[in-house]
Amino acid sequence: MKNLAISTEDRNAALISEPALAKLAVKIEQLDLPFRVMLTAMTVMLLWAGAYKMTDPGSEGIEVLVNNSPLISWHFHIFGVHTGGDLIGLTEIVAALLMLVGLFRPQAGIVGGGIAVMMFFVTSTMLITTPDAITHVNGVGYMSFLGLFLYKDLLALGVSLYLITRFGHRAATQKA
């Protein structure tokens, strides 16, 4: 009877001989494009959003979100809307800068990713606590524009977790 187990070498050889889509997938992995695109997008978003929260419209724009969150409503009560917005914005900027430094010192990227995970966890819960995040049309609940704005933070939470793992792999290979 013939052995049906496929070795890693056979699997890799089969992948190389696969059609163009499989070759494209391998090339994307070799270029580390998922990591590069997610890191670039995350840092741009955090830098831009962080800077915006340090403006009057930016801090006032998140006031309804923060005030309705049991996890962070204390923040604006203690610091006020504008200083609170500055602190939130600064936290986002620090997370982004740590992720960028993570390209050279992966441990910094892990810390930056951890900060982002905490931020996006908190903001993801705002989907539940913010009034008008869900709208009803003909008896069916849908996410409003505000709800969709908040929902993207679930994706950002996943990206932050992914970046932590990639920085962790980089840190482990640097020490080896």
Side-chain angles (χ1 to χ4, degrees):
M1 183 136 211
K2 190 174 183 179
N3 184 357
L4 297 177
I6 300 174
S7 71
T8 302
E9 291 171 357
D10 290 340
R11 209 172 321 126
N12 289 342
L15 184 58
I16 291 170
S17 66
E18 288 290 319
L21 287 178
K23 288 181 183 179
L24 175 63
V26 169
K27 190 64 174 175
I28 287 170
E29 183 179 14
Q30 289 171 343
L31 294 172
D32 206 13
L33 285 179
F35 172 74
R36 293 170 188 260
V37 169
M38 287 188 218
L39 178 62
T40 301
M42 181 61 72
T43 56
V44 167
M45 181 179 74
L46 288 172
L47 290 170
W48 208 339
Y52 182 63
K53 286 183 181 78
M54 295 175 151
T55 67
D56 288 344
S59 59
E60 291 164 7
I62 62 170
E63 187 173 8
V64 68
L65 305 174
V66 173
N67 285 339
N68 285 289
S69 170
L71 299 177
I72 197 169
S73 59
W74 57 270
H75 187 78
F76 279 4
H77 294 298
I78 292 173
F79 299 111
V81 173
H82 297 284
T83 301
D86 290 348
L87 292 172
I88 291 170
L90 182 62
T91 302
E92 290 177 334
I93 290 170
V94 166
L97 294 175
L98 285 169
M99 287 183 206
L100 290 174
V101 171
L103 290 169
F104 309 100
R105 297 199 182 273
Q107 296 83 350
I110 295 169
V111 173
I115 292 169
V117 164
M118 288 186 285
M119 288 185 318
F120 291 124
F121 172 78
V122 170
T123 56
S124 293
T125 65
M126 292 176 184
L127 185 60
I128 300 165
T129 62
T130 303
D132 300 323
I134 305 294
T135 187
H136 289 84
V137 178
N138 298 327
V140 178
Y142 297 96
M143 279 189 263
S144 65
F145 286 117
L146 179 60
L148 290 169
F149 169 77
L150 292 167
Y151 189 78
K152 61 128 176 57
D153 286 359
L154 281 173
L155 298 171
L157 175 62
V159 169
S160 300
L161 289 166
Y162 170 79
L163 292 173
I164 288 172
T165 63
R166 291 307 309 273
F167 284 125
H169 289 294
R170 287 173 172 237
T173 56
Q174 277 187 353
K175 292 183 186 221

